[in-house]
Structure formats: structure tokens, C-alpha cells
Amino acid sequence: MPSDLANADALPSSKTVLLVDSEIIVRTTLSEYLRSCGYRVVEAASGEEALTVLKDSELPVDVTLTEVELRGDIDGFQLAAWIRRRRPQISVILAGTPKRAAKAAGELCEEGPMMSKPYDPQLVVDHIKRLLSLR
Amino acid sequence: MTSEERYPDLCDQAAPTVLVVEDEVLIRMTLAAVLRDEGFTVIEACDADEALLALAATSIDLLLTDVRMEGSMDGLDLAVQVKSTMPHLKIVVVSGHLAAVETHGVADAFVPKPYLAEKVVERVKAILNGTNLDHAV
């Protein structure tokens, strides 16, 4: 298994975040932010993908940060409910907007491996808004 | 597109950026992790539509795409479109059902499935270093 996804024992200070967002710009920007503060991040574009990761991989996930509205048949609420039933040790954060997701990511960084934000989460929000407006 | 408009302000752009397009999340996850281990910046897309959004928003050095995917186009169509609009961008196509010859003229390299992730990474490195000689592994 790649060291980036290696067993937590190999890198005791690293935790794994499963980031679920159907908007690639939001997902990629938040993933990079979380990686820059020391988290391993697994990305899922839908609730179905998230469940595949949670059910079928041996990856130890510590936190799931998920958007509420997701493509496909499983939304963030349903995903959260599944996790609370089947993997209750995983913390779940539901974010209804990119701003809330960025705020949550900032808070995760403050309590995460490096215990500091690499930069202000508002920069993440501004950047996402700018890229989304270009479409 | 100005440098301000590209999200790479928020990530390491000293490293080459690979866009991995693969609809099977476990494969995509593993491939992305192996590439990151090797120092690449990786953007992950679950289909061609996401890939096009990423290509429009960021600076990509290499497109690594599966062929058979759901969505508005498959990976080969994506590669053809990228080839015509971004000729500088390197392209690697992976597939379990195409023959290498079908990607000639579009992709810089072809990788048949099943593959070892490490072999794909070797091919990506060779292409970006300009040392890739064979079209197919």
C-alpha cells in the first residue's frame, strides 16, 4: 500500500480524512488544504464512492467531511447515518456550503497533525468562488 | 487564464501536476497515492466531465485517463479533445479493452489493464522527462 495510505502505525501523527464533494473544484481545493496541514486525504466524488472506500478498503478513516448535496442516490445525510451505524468511530462533519466546508477544514487543521492552518480558510473560499465564477 | 484565476496558488506547483481520470474510486485512490508518494501533485477526477472542469481551472502537465467511464464522453474522446485544444499536454491512456494502436496519434503512451500502479508511475516519469520511447508498456 502506498505510504500515503499506509497503516496509521507507520505514521502515528497522521490522520486520514475522507472528503466527499461532487464539485471537483471544491473537493480538490479542500483536499490540498488538508494535505498541507498534514492529513492524508482520500477523495470521493459521491456518496456511493465514499461507501465503496469505507466498505471495501482497509483504509483507516478518522474523519469524514462531506457536502450535504451529492450526485447520485446517496446524500450527505444518508452517508453520515451509515457511518454512525457501521463505523461509529469515524467523526462525521456535514457541510452545506463550500464556506462551511472550508471553515470545518480550518478547524480540522487546528486540531490535526500540525495544529495550525496553512493559510486562512477564507482564501480557500475566495479561490473556489473565483474558479466557479469562471464557468 | 491568469495565474490568479488558477487554484494552484493553494498547492505546490513546483511539482508536475497529473490529472488522474478514473471512475473506480479505489483504483483512482491508489494510483493518486502512488503518484503523490513520488512527488507529483495529483488532481483526481471521476469522469471526463470533471476532468474538463479541472483542465479549465488549473495547470496540468499530464492527463492519465481510463477509457471506459460513464458520463458524456469516454476517456479516449477526452484524450482526443485535449489533444486538439491543449497539444502541449502529455496524455497517457489506460484501458482493459483497447489495443495500443487505437491510441496512436492521440496518447503519448498506452498502458493496458490490469497494471501495476508503479509501472504507470514509471511511464508518467519517463514521459515528463522526455525519455519515453515505447508507446505501450
Side-chain angles (χ1 to χ4, degrees):
Chain A
M1 181 181 278
S3 63
D4 187 51
L5 297 177
N7 189 288
D9 290 342
L11 297 166
S13 64
S14 289
K15 291 191 174 183
T16 299
V17 177
L18 172 59
L19 178 66
V20 193
D21 199 306
S22 295
E23 173 58 69
I24 186 173
I25 287 174
V26 177
R27 188 172 76 236
T28 302
T29 309
L30 286 176
S31 295
E32 289 299 323
Y33 182 80
L34 287 166
R35 288 188 184 104
S36 63
C37 65
Y39 283 101
R40 283 188 298 250
V41 181
V42 175
E43 301 176 34
S46 65
E48 284 85 352
E49 284 201 346
L51 286 181
T52 298
V53 170
L54 291 167
K55 286 180 190 173
D56 297 342
S57 77
E58 296 173 355
L59 188 69
V61 173
D62 298 286
V63 180
T64 295
L65 171 54
T66 179
E67 171 63 82
V68 169
E69 287 188 17
L70 298 169
R71 74 168 78 179
D73 297 326
I74 300 171
D75 67 18
F77 291 119
Q78 292 166 311
L79 177 62
W82 186 95
I83 291 171
R84 283 175 188 138
R85 274 200 314 273
R86 303 292 180 85
R87 300 277 293 268
Q89 72 278 15
I90 298 175
S91 301
V92 179
I93 303 170
L94 279 161
T97 64
K99 184 172 184 175
R100 287 184 185 159
K103 181 173 183 287
E107 289 167 358
L108 280 172
C109 282
E110 285 183 327
E111 61 194 34
M114 293 167 66
M115 299 184 70
S116 66
K117 300 174 194 173
Y119 35 82
D120 190 337
Q122 187 58 44
L123 288 177
V124 175
V125 178
D126 293 343
H127 203 83
I128 288 170
K129 283 183 181 174
R130 191 161 56 239
L131 289 176
L132 291 176
S133 71
L134 292 174
R135 293 198 196 159
Chain B
M1 180 171 297
T2 67
S3 59
E4 265 190 1
E5 291 163 345
R6 288 185 181 153
Y7 96 96
D9 291 340
L10 302 177
C11 69
D12 177 12
Q13 280 301 289
T17 301
V18 178
L19 173 59
V20 175
V21 193
E22 167 63 66
D23 62 347
E24 294 186 46
V25 63
L26 296 181
I27 296 175
R28 187 175 78 235
M29 176 180 94
T30 302
L31 197 49
V34 173
L35 285 164
R36 288 190 181 104
D37 271 357
E38 293 293 325
F40 292 100
T41 295
V42 180
I43 297 171
E44 301 177 40
C46 68
D47 57 29
D49 295 318
E50 283 209 330
L52 290 172
L53 289 172
L55 286 160
T58 73
S59 179
I60 306 287
D61 297 293
L62 186 143
L63 168 68
L64 173 60
T65 182
D66 187 17
V67 173
R68 195 167 274 175
M69 295 184 292
E70 294 187 12
S72 62
M73 66 175 77
D74 69 16
L76 195 56
D77 291 335
L78 171 66
V80 168
Q81 181 167 330
V82 168
K83 181 81 178 171
S84 68
T85 56
M86 302 177 191
H88 66 281
L89 203 150
K90 301 298 183 187
I91 299 173
V92 176
V93 169
V94 298
S95 176
H97 68 283
L98 283 186
V101 67
E102 296 176 78
T103 65
H104 274 289
V106 174
D108 295 279
F110 171 78
V111 178
K113 280 186 171 182
Y115 57 77
L116 289 173
E118 289 74 13
K119 288 289 184 189
V120 175
V121 172
E122 281 176 21
R123 183 51 58 115
V124 166
K125 283 181 176 176
I127 289 170
L128 290 174
N129 288 338
T131 56
N132 183 63
L133 298 177
D134 298 322
H135 183 68
V137 291

